[in-house]
Amino acid sequence: MCGRFTQYRTAIEYLEALRYDKPIESGIDPEPIGRYNVPPRSRVLVFFETASGLRMAKLPWDYQPWWAKGKRQPAINARVETAATSKFFRDVWRTGRTLVGADGWYEWVKDPVDPKKKQPYYIRLKSGEPMWFAALGQFRREDRTEEQEGDGFVIITGDSDQGMVDIHDRRPVVLPPDLAREWMEPGISLERAEELVRDLALPVEAFEWYPVDRAVGNVKSEGAQLIEQIDDPSL
């Protein structure tokens, strides 16, 4: 996963797609989020569950444990193959399972002759519905009301297969609504959490992809035109 996605609907639209029926602690902003080019390090709306209900927060899209500062760069993604056992993600695997509501993501195909030449593609569900990225993060729970240094999240990624591997060899782990709700549950066993993301994510057949304008490569570019299909891709 190259590190760009979209989050342009309203929070309530994501929650409706999740079919969440428990109490919601956070207030819900009725305005569309309107982000068509979400880059790493920016703040992103995430969803997580506490013992008393669902919360939403805007967290930086990067994370590193306190002991890694100065030794390793913050991560934006966690490999599903090692997330459960990695020392880097050990604490947030236990306490920081969260969801990112998204509408799709971008990948870039490199020209085999000239690697500097790249064509972006947009990937979304064939149904056109919102999707749920499985994520891990450090964020406030019941015993903490203010954000603290080090709060942030990473998106869990897995291998691509079939036709999608031609676009990129990695992709976000996208969970169907029922399993996305289960992923957030504070009481879920660590073994079950690992099973959800390793074995039960949506298959490649659930997605479609098409070329889009290279303007998305500029982090300053925004707007719905970024996800429109183009007729003359360079690759």
Side-chain angles (χ1 to χ4, degrees), residues 25-94:
E25 293 187 44
S26 312
I28 301 178
D29 188 341
E31 296 298 317
I33 297 170
R35 301 185 69 187
Y36 292 85
N37 194 7
V38 179
R41 322 301 175 199
S42 65
R43 288 184 172 270
V44 178
L45 184 66
V46 302
F47 301 73
F48 59 94
E49 190 171 288
T50 71
S52 53
L54 180 135
R55 286 189 187 179
M56 290 169 272
K58 289 185 177 180
L59 295 180
W61 180 14
D62 65 10
Y63 165 77
Q64 66 178 173
W66 63 269
W67 52 262
K69 291 183 179 179
K71 301 177 182 177
R72 175 176 165 181
Q73 290 295 316
I76 62 169
N77 298 324
R79 296 176 68 90
V80 71
E81 298 88 346
T82 57
T85 56
S86 165
K87 180 182 177 182
F88 196 86
F89 299 113
R90 179 176 55 200
D91 291 340
V92 289
W93 177 266
R94 294 171 178 165

Side-chain angles (χ1 to χ4, degrees), residues 13 17 27-28 39 50 55 57 84 126 137 142 160 187 191 193 228 232:
E13 286 178 293
I28 301 178
T50 71
R55 286 189 187 179
K126 290 178 180 177
E142 291 91 342
S160 295
E191 294 76 15
E228 294 177 359
D232 56 345

Side-chain angles (χ1 to χ4, degrees), residues 5-229:
F5 66 93
T6 60
Q7 191 183 64
Y8 56 76
R9 305 185 206 225
T10 63
I12 192 65
E13 286 178 293
Y14 294 116
L15 289 173
E16 287 175 347
L18 186 63
R19 299 193 284 275
Y20 192 83
D21 58 3
K22 297 179 184 179
I24 299 174
E25 293 187 44
S26 312
I28 301 178
D29 188 341
E31 296 298 317
I33 297 170
R35 301 185 69 187
Y36 292 85
N37 194 7
V38 179
R41 322 301 175 199
S42 65
R43 288 184 172 270
V44 178
L45 184 66
V46 302
F47 301 73
F48 59 94
E49 190 171 288
T50 71
S52 53
L54 180 135
R55 286 189 187 179
M56 290 169 272
K58 289 185 177 180
L59 295 180
W61 180 14
D62 65 10
Y63 165 77
Q64 66 178 173
W66 63 269
W67 52 262
K69 291 183 179 179
K71 301 177 182 177
R72 175 176 165 181
Q73 290 295 316
I76 62 169
N77 298 324
R79 296 176 68 90
V80 71
E81 298 88 346
T82 57
T85 56
S86 165
K87 180 182 177 182
F88 196 86
F89 299 113
R90 179 176 55 200
D91 291 340
V92 289
W93 177 266
R94 294 171 178 165
T95 63
R97 291 183 303 278
T98 185
L99 293 171
V100 178
D103 305 288
W105 75 93
Y106 301 98
E107 299 291 1
W108 278 258
V109 175
K110 294 182 180 180
D111 186 324
V113 177
D114 182 4
K116 293 182 179 180
K117 186 177 180 182
K118 302 177 183 179
Q119 173 61 55
Y121 281 75
Y122 185 61
I123 304 169
R124 65 184 182 185
L125 287 173
K126 290 178 180 177
S127 66
E129 292 293 308
M131 64 180 72
W132 292 98
F133 296 161
L136 298 169
Q138 175 182 299
F139 44 81
R140 58 188 174 92
R141 291 284 194 180
E142 291 91 342
D143 60 343
R144 184 157 59 87
T145 58
E146 300 296 330
E147 185 176 318
Q148 69 180 23
E149 184 180 359
D151 283 3
F153 75 94
V154 295
I155 294 170
I156 299 177
T157 66
D159 282 334
S160 295
D161 54 15
Q162 300 180 38
M164 195 185 287
V165 77
D166 296 332
I167 305 299
H168 201 275
D169 61 350
R170 305 290 295 179
R171 64 185 178 105
V173 169
V174 179
L175 296 173
D178 58 335
L179 300 185
R181 296 193 304 271
E182 186 179 359
W183 169 255
M184 285 194 300
E185 292 177 1
I188 187 176
S189 72
L190 300 183
E191 294 76 15
R192 175 59 175 170
E194 185 172 5
E195 180 185 22
L196 291 178
V197 293
R198 286 181 67 99
D199 303 325
L200 300 175
L202 288 175
V204 166
E205 294 89 349
F207 302 92
E208 62 183 5
W209 49 91
Y210 54 82
V212 294
D213 194 278
R214 283 185 289 176
V216 71
N218 185 336
V219 295
K220 296 181 180 180
S221 297
E222 259 298 354
Q225 76 281 357
L226 295 178
I227 63 172
E228 294 177 359
Q229 183 170 352

